Amino acid sequence: MNYIIRRPWDLPESRHTAIEVYRNRRSHRREFLKSMGLGAAGAAFAPLVTGCSSPTDEEIEAAGQVEPLPTAYQSLYPAERNPEFEYGRDETAKRAAAEYSNFYEFTTGKDVYRYVAGFNKFPETLTVDGLCEKPREFDLDDLLQLFTLEERAYRHRCVETWAMCVPWTGFPLRDLLKEVQPKPGAKFVEFQTFQHPDTVGDSYYDWPYTEGLTIAEADNELSLLATGIFGEPLPKQHGTPVRLVVPWKYGYKSIKSLTRITFTDRQPATFWNTADPREYDFQANVNPDIPHPRWSQATEWMLGTRERFETQIYNGYGEYVAGLYA
Ligand SMILES: Nc1nc2c(c(=O)[nH]1)N[C@H]1C(S)=C(S)[C@@H](COP(=O)(O)O)O[C@H]1N2
Ligand SMILES: [Mo]
């Protein structure tokens, strides 16, 4: 008799089952901590956490609310809309985007807004280092003083097939590149999120969340460092104070709450690609013809309306980026 001996990690089914079990266990731990008033979100946001009715718009707004900007910067929002970019679809409701997020540092569920409410340890500085002429640390003031904010209407497509159309406020990543001057040896850019205190001992995933682009992708006109959404500074669940937005790629590339940008000569390890390379590739360009191993990517559905559209190659941004992959 022949036995085919396969290790657990060769078995996609059991692997996924294991991940789901793991995920649920983690959510339960958080739910338990919150119910005891011990979790990060516990005390500050008790009504929402314990209630089972749908939160009001005001409760969702309050949950994501960050400290107001110093008065000197308040006039920066809303920034002037860049007319070059249009959704080609209806804009997603602010609430619909705010109540359905991915931010694995807080929860593997979509109701991230519930978890961020009492959390106040978001990054205060952005370090830019590695292979560049002028490495330095920026705080939010520096970024707002050095770069010109604009508003861009972008489509966003999560690898899980949900999509949204939202106005980001930010500045082109290429403006930051001009400021710090990558050296000729810099071929890739690594992005890093803050280390969330709850994930320190959490060894399933490789924290902190990291992402990466080629230097040409980072220098593309579309790549945006966002400090706002819907005409206001980013609420917590959308990645305060500054996050990446790369709209031709699956959403997981658009890393939130940046602490570090590093220029390197080799392709960096990234969070989802490390967790499961078969399911999440480094390049992650939106492509209707390459199914995810567990679902089709042919169509997508909009947050809020659930309206379905056919997925577009490069999420419809081929005129800007197709040349990068010719
Ligand atoms: N730090 C961090 N950034 C992240 C994620 C995350 O879990 N952690 N999720 C990504 C995924 S999968 C998506 S789809 C988008 C969602 O952004 P939004 O919640 O602002 O819509 O954030 C991306 N950035
Ligand atoms: Mo995503």
Side-chain angles (χ1 to χ4, degrees), residues 102 158-159 251-252:
N102 278 324
C158 176
V159 71
Y252 62 86

Side-chain angles (χ1 to χ4, degrees), residues 218-254:
D219 199 33
N220 187 270
E221 182 175 352
L222 290 179
S223 298
L224 194 73
L225 284 177
T227 58
I229 188 172
F230 291 106
E232 291 166 0
L234 288 175
K236 294 174 178 179
Q237 68 272 38
H238 284 302
T240 187
V242 55
R243 56 109 40 101
L244 180 68
V245 180
V246 279
W248 75 99
K249 293 179 177 288
Y250 288 121
Y252 62 86
K253 301 295 289 184
S254 291

